[in-house]
C-alpha cells in the first residue's frame, strides 16, 4: 500500500483541495529486427514504404506468422516488471478504419494478454518512493504513418511502421502527481533498456504514452477520466497532466461535469484539446483472429528466460549500497542508465587491488565525469576518459599522491590530451608534497609575512582557512592539505 497523498501533492482549487489520479498506457516498440507477423525490417528512417511485406500491406490471402523473438521480448519485459506471465494468450482483431491501417483491423490482445499483473517501484525526487501496479502487458501491431506535407492536395502513406511489434504496458491508476508519472515513465524506460527489449528512444517514437487523467476530492471515488493520446516526451507528459488536471478542476468548480473523451496535447501551446469522445471496447468489435492460433509456451521456457535476465536496476542499486557503501541517491544516479552502472563497475574492477574506495569512485564518476560529459553534450559510451584512466586518477587520490584539487586538473588534461594519469603526474610534477619540512618552510614564510593576521587568529579561529588557502596557493596546490592544517594549527597556537 502506498502512503496517503501528501498535502503538497494536492492541487488547490477555488473551492478546496483536489487530488489528481493518473494511469498510463505506454506503447513500447519491441527491439527485434523483424515485425510482429512478417519478416520485414523494423529499421528506423528507411525511404517510405521500403520495409513493407505483403502481410504489412494487407494483400488478400496473406497470413500472419508470429515472430518468436517478439514473444520472447514480451515475456522478458513482463519478468522485468515482476508480472505474471500467461502461458496461453490470444490475439484479437481490433476493428477500425483509418488510412494508415491497411488491414482494417489491428492485431492486438484484448481479454487474454501475454502478461498479467505486476508492479514497479518508483523512486521519487524527494527521496520517497511509490509502488505502481501494472494491469497488463500485451503485444500488438503498430500502424503506418500518414504524410500530410508531401503534396498540396493529397495525403501520402508510409507503411514502414505498419506491423512493427509494440508492447502496450497498462498501469493501474496509482499515480498521484505529474512528478510521479514522470518518474514512473523514466523507471519503466530504464527497466526496458536494461532488458534490451525496447530502446526507449522517445524522439524516434519507440516509447510513447497515452495519459489518463481524472481529479477527485481526497477520499472520494475516482472521477471521470480523459485520455491524452500519444505523448512523446517525459516533459510533455508532465505538462499535459498539469494542464489537464487544472482544466478538469475548473469545469467541476463551475458546476460542470467531465465528458470522458480522447484528447491531444499541443506542445506548442502547452494545452490539451478534444479529439473525439471516448470509444468503448464494443466500438472495436474485438474477436479472436482466426488466422492465428492461441499463443502457448511452457513454464520451463519462462524459467529459462528468467534465469538469463540481466541484473535489473533495483537489484543493482541495492548491491551498490550494500557492497560499496554508496548513498541511495548516488546509487540511484549510477543505475539509472545501464551504461553508467557498467562504467562505474569497470572503474571499481580496475581499483580491485588498490584500496578500492567505492564512494570516492562514485563521486568521481557522478560529479566529475558526468558533469563534464553533460557540459560537452557527450554520452558515457563516447567518454574521452576511460574507466581505466578514471580509476588511475581515483587511486592517485586514494593513496595521497595527489590532492583532490590537483586531481581535477589532471582529469582535465586526460580529458583533452589523453594519456596515463600516473605518467602525467610524474612528468608534470603534480605530486602532492607530503615532505613535512618542505611544507613547514612555506607555512613559516606565510605566517612571518602576515603578523597582524597571525595575531588575530586565536580570537578568530575561522581565519585558519585563509592561512590554509595561502599555503596551498603558494605550493601550487600540491601541499598535502591535512599536513598544512596540522602545521598551521601548531604554528599559530590553535
Ligand atoms: P482503454 O482501452 O479504455 O483506454 P485501458 O484498460 O487500456 O482502457 O486503460 C485504462 C487506463 O486508464 C489505465 O492505465 C488505468 O489505470 C487508467 N484509468 C482508469 N480509470 C482511471 C481514472 N478514473 N483516472 C485516471 N486514470 C484511470
Ligand atoms: Mg486506452
Amino acid at each position: 500500500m502506498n502512503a496517503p497523498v501528501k498535502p503538497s501533492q494536492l492541487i488547490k482549487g477555488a473551492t478546496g483541495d483536489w487530488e489528481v489520479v493518473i494511469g498510463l498506457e505506454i506503447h513500447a516498440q519491441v527491439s527485434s529486427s523483424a515485425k510482429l507477423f512478417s519478416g520485414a525490417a523494423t529499421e528506423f528512417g528507411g525511404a517510405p514504404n521500403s520495409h513493407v511485406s505483403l502481410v504489412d500491406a494487407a494483400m488478400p490471402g496473406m497470413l500472419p506468422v508470429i515472430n518468436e523473438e517478439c514473444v520472447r521480448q514480451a515475456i522478458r519485459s513482463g519478468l522485468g516488471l515482476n508480472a505474471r506471465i500467461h502461458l496461453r494468450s490470444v490475439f484479437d482483431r481490433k476493428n477500425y478504419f483509418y488510412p494508415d491501417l491497411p488491414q482494417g483491423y489491428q492485431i492486438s490482445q484484448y481479454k487474454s494478454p501475454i502478461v498479467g499483473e505486476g508492479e514497479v517501484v518508483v523512486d521519487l525526487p524527494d527521496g520517497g518512493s511509490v509502488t505502481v501496479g501494472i494491469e497488463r502487458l500485451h503485444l500488438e501491431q503498430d500502424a503506418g504513418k500518414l504524410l500530410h506535407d508531401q503534396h498540396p492536395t493529397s495525403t501520402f502513406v508510409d507503411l514502414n511502421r505498419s506491423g512493427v511489434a509494440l508492447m502496450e504496458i497498462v498501469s493501474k491508476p496509482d499515480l498521484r502527481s505529474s512528478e510521479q508519472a514522470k518518474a514512473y515513465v523514466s523507471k519503466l524506460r530504464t527497466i526496458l533498456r536494461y532488458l534490451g527489449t525496447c530502446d526507449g528512444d522517445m524522439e524516434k517514437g519507440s516509447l510513447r504514452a497515452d495519459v489518463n487523467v481524472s481529479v477527485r476530492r481526497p477520499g472520494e471515488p475516482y472521477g471521470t477520466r480523459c485520455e491524452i493520446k500519444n505523448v512523446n516526451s517525459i516533459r510533455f507528459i508532465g505538462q499535459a497532466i498539469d494542464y489537464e488536471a487544472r482544466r478538469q478542476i475548473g469545469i467541476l468548480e463551475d458546476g460542470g461535469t467531465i465528458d470522458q473523451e480522447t484528447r491531444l496535447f499541443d506542445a506548442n501551446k502547452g494545452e490539451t484539446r478534444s479529439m473525439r469522445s471516448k470509444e468503448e471496447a464494443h466500438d472495436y468489435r474485438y474477436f479472436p483472429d482466426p488466422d492465428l492460433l492461441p499463443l502457448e509456451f511452457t513454464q520451463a521456457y519462462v524459467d529459462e528466460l528468467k534465469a538469463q535476465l540481466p541484473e535489473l536496476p533495483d537489484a543493482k542499486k541495492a548491491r551498490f549500497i550494500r557492497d560499496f557503501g554508496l548513498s541511495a541517491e548516488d546509487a540511484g544516479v549510477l543505475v539509472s542508465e545501464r551504461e553508467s552502472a557498467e562504467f562505474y563497475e569497470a572503474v571499481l574492477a580496475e581499483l580491485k587491488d588498490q584500496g578500492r574506495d567505492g564512494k570516492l569512485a562514485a563521486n568521481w564518476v557522478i560529479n566529475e565525469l558526468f558533469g563534464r560529459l553533460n557540459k560537452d553534450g557527450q554520452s558515457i559510451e563516447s567518454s574521452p576518459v576511460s574507466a581505466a584512466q578514471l580509476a588511475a586518477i581515483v587511486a592517485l587520490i586514494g593513496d595521497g599522491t595527489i590532492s583532490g584539487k590537483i586531481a581535477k586538473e589532471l582529469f582535465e588534461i586526460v580529458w583533452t590530451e589523453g594519456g596515463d594519469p600516473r605518467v602525467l603526474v610524474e612528468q608534470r610534477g603534480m605530486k602532492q608534497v607530503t615532505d613535512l619540512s618542505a611544507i613547514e618552510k612555506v607555512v613559516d614564510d606565510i605566517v612571518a609575512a602576515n603578523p597582524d593576521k597571525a595575531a588575530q587568529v586565536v580570537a578568530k579561529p575561522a581565519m585558519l582557512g585563509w592561512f590554509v588557502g595561502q599555503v596551498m596557493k603558494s605550493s601550487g596546490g600540491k601541499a598535502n592539505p591535512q599536513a598544512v592544517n596540522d602545521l598551521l594549527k601548531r604554528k599559530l597556537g590553535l
Side-chain angles (χ1 to χ4, degrees), residues 142-158:
D142 204 349
K145 189 176 169 192
L146 295 181
L147 308 168
H148 301 288
D149 55 1
Q150 307 286 310
H151 189 274
T153 55
S154 303
T155 289
F156 290 176
V157 66
D158 175 7

Side-chain angles (χ1 to χ4, degrees), residues 24-28 77 80-81 119-122 134 137 169-171 182-195 197-198 200 207 313:
L24 297 177
E25 297 159 73
I26 305 276
H27 293 267
S77 299
L81 303 176
E119 63 179 37
V120 177
V121 178
V122 181
I134 300 294
L137 175 157
I169 303 167
V170 183
S171 86
K182 289 194 292 185
Y184 165 73
V185 178
S186 303
K187 181 63 181 280
L188 199 66
R189 182 173 174 273
T190 300
I191 294 172
L192 299 178
R193 283 170 54 83
Y194 265 68
L195 291 164
T197 58
C198 169
L207 196 126

Side-chain angles (χ1 to χ4, degrees), residues 25 168 210 212 225 227 229 278:
E25 297 159 73
E168 177 167 335
D210 295 347
N212 294 272
R225 70 181 153 116
E227 178 174 348
K229 277 282 176 199
K278 171 77 189 160

